[in-house]
Amino acid sequence: MIEQARQTLKRVYGYDSFRKGQEDIISGIMSGSDTLAILPTGGGKSICYQIPAMLLPGTSLVISPLISLMKDQVDALRRVGVSAAFLNSSLSAGEYREIMHGALQGEYKLLYVAPERLDAPMFQSLSERLAIPLIAIDEAHCVSQWGHDFRPSYRQLAGWIGRMANRPLVAAFTATATNEVAKDIAEMLKLRNPNVFVTGFARPNLSLSVVTGVDKKSFLERYAAERKEQSGIVYAATRKEVENVYEQLTRSGIPAGKYHGGLSDAERADTQEKFRFDDIRVMVATNAFGMGIDKPNVRYVLHWQMTGDIESYYQEAGRAGRDGEESECVLLFEPADMQVQRFLIEQGSGDSDRKAIQLSKLHLMMNYSRTQRCLQQFIVDYFGETGVEACGKCSSCLDKSEPVNRTEEAKMALSCVGRMKGRFGVTMAAKVLKGSRDKRLLEFGLDRLSTYGLMRHLPEKEIADWLYWLVSEGYLKLSEGQYPVVSLTANALPVLEGREMIMQRVRTSVRQSVGTDMSSAASPLFEALKQWRKEKAAAEGVPPFMLFFDATLREIANAQPQTGEQLLGIKGIGAAKADKYGGQLLEIIRSLGSQGAPVRTDAGIQQQFSGTIKRPQTGDEQPSHLTTLEFFQAGREPEEIAKARGMSKVTIEGHLIRSAEEGHELDWSRIIPAEYEQRIMEAIDKLGADKLRPIKDALPDEVAYFAIHGVICKYGLKG
Ligand code: ADP
């Protein structure tokens, strides 16, 4: 059976081997067991139910709350030749009826359904008329109130499934579940003796960082500017923050989109599409953005503020690098942000029990933000996994800074808080330490405290952060409620009595760019393939990644397959894609031949191309004429470049002239035949450079317009 699954993996998806856990999960399902599988984001859950669905007779249902993910998966399945459809609220009544009709005829191997769309009668009619061998439940943690994204509609599933005449197999999938949540999922979905698979939570392609003590604005600006050609998400906690960050990025010339609950559906859908299609690279969003984002080539996720819990953080951060390539997750941390999260929890819905759970989760998140342990280890530990080695690339692992002794500042702060007798909040304590002339402060006579003005050399905000840090370290505590007051804990005493030192590490370093920034692995062939993909995807109305991932194009550029069979050996090319696009891919490879050989480093690029190109930008951001220039510098003729890039020869020639006009060096001898150069100049001299036609007519036929244009440009004869 597993051999059949392996063949399907190769034939349909073009992958050679299963990833960790996939094989066991698929075998389990195929041998008739209910399943609970916990795989990290990007671990490859979909294949675990798609392959059994293809192999089992009948139509398998996939329950998923993620509308745009459903659409992507169905599109992707159809592309590889598997019949699939979805039912959710994005369909018109007509489309809905049509798909339901098709479904009842058994036309689909997979039918994706949003839980909100399911009701008892619908379930019944589907189950009476269809052979349903398997129900796969994606994002299964939504059934648990302990999870971070509880959805009441998930609660009904077990009842309906239980009432089906022939109860199908049930396979539940999630990426983020603590032991508690996993147990809850199995119970709530009434799984029968499920095989439970936990393949581990670690995401080896992610570099996690916590950055603290920086000016967030300038950090973000620099960070995004350095990654202009990469897709990234910036998460902020509130709509207002999203607006601010968005403004800031746009003002500094970084094209960004914004996404939050206060925008209209149309605005949100529009921005989301632009992001998916790589038309905008940075998306600034609240957590409203994400359920449903399945963009595989997100290279970084930056959190402007901490989230309320580790599950949310890891799920949001985990949207980076779903394609398995190196990606970064950066958390900008200011202790005061904890207040924002507390506020959100206290204002939120939910009873006091739920709020208490949320507050304790918030504390763990706070611990993550300041831990000196390997961040990847910290997270997997949180999900109950042990024995994972330190990742060696998170900000903790890379932190070589010596801790700083901050006992004196701690004593000042603690004694000040002690003197304020638990009647004021952090802001007021900071004002006292600053020596502020705040009206309320003076009214309360706080300027008479001996600690008044003790830290006047520091900005008030920094003092407040310092107090929050002491809270997070457990020396101070905040009361519950909307206006929390700050007071000492028992841990403060040894510090005040000089028996304990307080050491603090300040981490600001994030590696400047992802270690293997594969997007800069440029070669003319890779660029040509990307350009082709972009145009093709636009013509088909799908995002570029739907055709091929960068990794697949890169492998093509490296391996340069010459036949259809060799093409099938490339990871990510299955039979359907080879059939559809193989001819075009081979044509591009052939037309660029060995000149397309990959160039891996910037230094390498500079060696290969003339030194006049400063630093060839790569990625889709590079102006098209400079890509043409690179081809030309690499020895290709305009005609070949035109073919490879799917553009007209005239356009390509225009690109080269434009490059020269911008000061890039061109090898004119390849454009202007030496034997005619003098005659062309004479003709221009006589006839002027305003119109090319009379010049062309005055010269032998074999002198091309491009040569004339070349002479005008080379000698600056225009106008
Ligand atoms: P998840 O739902 O677990 O986040 P997906 O099912 O979206 O992950 O898979 C993530 C990516 O990994 C997809 O692009 C998928 O095609 C790819 N993938 C899955 N299984 C394999 C495999 N065995 N070999 C190579 N790539 C795989």
Side-chain angles (χ1 to χ4, degrees), residues 15 17-19 22 40-47 322 549 571:
Y15 297 144
S17 53
F18 283 113
R19 289 212 185 123
Q22 285 179 327
T41 308
K45 285 182 277 298
S46 338
I47 280 180
R322 293 182 79 121
F549 287 169
K571 186 169 161 191

Side-chain angles (χ1 to χ4, degrees), residues 9 13-20 22 39-50 69 73 138-139 174-175 203 294 296 318 321-324 549 571-572:
L9 180 75
Y13 302 91
Y15 297 144
D16 287 327
S17 53
F18 283 113
R19 289 212 185 123
K20 195 173 166 195
Q22 285 179 327
L39 265 76
T41 308
K45 285 182 277 298
S46 338
I47 280 180
C48 296
Y49 54 80
Q50 288 174 355
L69 185 130
Q73 293 222 347
D138 204 5
E139 308 293 338
T174 179
R203 298 274 312 273
D294 186 26
R322 293 182 79 121
D323 55 9
F549 287 169
K571 186 169 161 191

Side-chain angles (χ1 to χ4, degrees), residues 494-557:
V495 182
L496 286 167
E497 290 173 352
R499 287 185 284 122
E500 189 183 315
M501 287 206 307
I502 298 226
M503 308 297 283
Q504 188 193 30
R505 263 186 178 168
V506 179
R507 288 176 315 198
T508 55
S509 67
V510 176
R511 286 184 306 158
Q512 286 310 296
S513 68
V514 181
T516 47
D517 180 5
M518 300 305 270
S519 65
S520 65
S523 77
L525 180 50
F526 181 54
E527 289 304 322
L529 291 166
K530 271 186 16 185
Q531 183 66 31
W532 167 82
R533 175 183 64 180
K534 196 162 189 197
E535 286 161 14
K536 197 88 207 151
E540 292 184 23
V542 297
F545 66 75
M546 195 66 88
L547 267 63
F548 298 104
F549 287 169
D550 281 0
T552 304
L553 296 188
R554 197 173 304 113
E555 201 179 324
I556 296 177

Side-chain angles (χ1 to χ4, degrees), residues 40-233:
T41 308
K45 285 182 277 298
S46 338
I47 280 180
C48 296
Y49 54 80
Q50 288 174 355
I51 289 185
M54 286 174 219
L55 297 178
L56 293 167
T59 304
S60 294
L61 299 187
V62 183
I63 313 292
S64 168
L66 311 177
I67 290 183
S68 66
L69 185 130
M70 273 185 201
K71 179 172 174 345
D72 278 357
Q73 293 222 347
V74 167
D75 281 351
L77 281 166
R78 288 185 181 162
R79 249 157 216 287
V80 293
V82 180
S83 58
F86 62 81
L87 292 170
N88 64 34
S89 55
S90 73
L91 298 176
S92 68
E95 288 167 329
Y96 190 88
R97 262 196 311 277
E98 198 178 310
I99 289 174
M100 196 63 187
H101 180 76
L104 294 175
Q105 307 293 313
E107 267 177 30
Y108 309 115
K109 286 309 290 175
L110 287 111
L111 182 63
Y112 286 72
V113 195
E116 290 79 3
R117 278 273 129 181
L118 279 175
D119 55 22
M122 175 173 160
F123 224 104
Q124 207 172 346
S125 64
L126 281 175
S127 64
E128 276 169 8
R129 308 261 301 271
L130 272 182
I132 302 178
L134 169 70
I135 298 185
I137 301 175
D138 204 5
E139 308 293 338
H141 59 271
C142 292
V143 76
S144 170
Q145 211 167 352
W146 296 95
H148 54 100
D149 194 27
F150 174 54
R151 302 224 166 182
S153 52
Y154 263 65
R155 279 287 161 92
Q156 315 230 33
L157 289 172
W160 293 329
I161 295 171
R163 282 192 291 276
M164 287 170 78
N166 278 320
R167 179 188 179 276
L169 289 172
V170 182
F173 295 86
T174 179
T176 40
T178 55
N179 281 334
E180 213 168 24
V181 173
K183 239 186 269 158
D184 209 27
I185 293 174
E187 267 166 39
M188 289 295 153
L189 291 176
K190 296 202 167 50
L191 300 182
R192 296 186 182 164
N193 295 325
N195 275 329
V196 180
F197 299 94
V198 184
T199 62
F201 295 90
R203 298 274 312 273
N205 64 321
L206 299 185
S207 310
L208 303 163
S209 301
V210 176
V211 175
T212 185
V214 293
D215 175 46
K216 287 187 185 185
K217 282 189 172 165
S218 40
F219 180 90
L220 173 65
E221 251 169 54
R222 208 190 59 228
Y223 187 88
E226 281 170 358
R227 291 160 178 76
K228 261 197 172 134
E229 77 285 5
Q230 298 180 354
S231 280
I233 304 175

